[in-house]
Amino acid sequence: MGETISPEASPSRETLEPGQPLDEAKLRRLKLLMGMMSGFLVLTFMVVIAAFVWRLSGGGAESGAPRASLPAGYFGMSRIGIAPGQSVRSVTLGEGRVAIHVTGGDAEMVILADPKSGAELGRILLTPMSDFAAR
């Protein structure tokens, strides 16, 4: 019951001394294992590189979904035409619209735009009703 088996007494294991040559069967098995491990490493590296390239090219994003790096409500650049000689007096945001008060020359107008898309919704031309209102 209390017997201990020493490594030298075990018949199933052979120990190799440093400098002792390997027989051909063990050498072939070792070469096969090394080849399999090297192939696995190369395949793993190729999968990592392919996933990296796929993510950089935007392959993971669903079509039409906003990118995570852009702030909410980002619509890019929108052009709202203002005539030469006109200047912006004020910009007001409210009720789901942006109101841009433009003045210049003899006319004043308010340009309405959608803050989500940046599209111009319309223009309101402000005209004086009498000479008194023009002053």
Side-chain angles (χ1 to χ4, degrees):
M1 264 200 188
E3 294 180 32
T4 58
I5 301 175
S6 65
E8 296 99 22
S10 176
S12 62
R13 289 192 171 193
E14 291 182 28
T15 57
L16 295 174
E17 297 297 322
Q20 182 181 0
L22 290 172
D23 62 340
E24 291 298 319
K26 287 184 181 179
L27 192 57
R28 261 188 261 124
R29 197 172 357 160
L30 185 62
K31 285 180 182 181
L32 178 68
L33 284 173
M34 289 299 294
M36 288 172 46
M37 287 190 295
S38 298
F40 180 73
L41 277 174
V42 168
L43 280 174
T44 304
F45 184 70
M46 288 171 56
V47 166
V48 168
I49 295 296
F52 183 69
V53 168
W54 184 62
R55 293 291 291 256
L56 280 180
S57 68
E62 298 167 348
S63 62
R67 292 185 175 243
S69 63
L70 299 176
Y74 180 80
F75 60 84
M77 183 173 71
S78 176
R79 291 183 187 259
I80 296 178
I82 297 176
Q86 290 183 332
S87 61
V88 175
R89 265 189 146 175
S90 67
V91 177
T92 306
L93 175 65
E95 301 289 326
R97 295 181 182 163
V98 175
I100 306 166
H101 184 187
V102 177
T103 172
D106 294 338
E108 288 191 38
M109 73 175 75
V110 176
I111 302 171
L112 299 175
D114 181 13
K116 291 184 181 177
S117 68
E120 184 177 327
L121 299 174
R123 293 176 181 237
I124 302 170
L125 185 60
L126 303 175
T127 57
M129 292 181 66
S130 68
D131 287 338
F132 179 73
R135 293 180 196 182

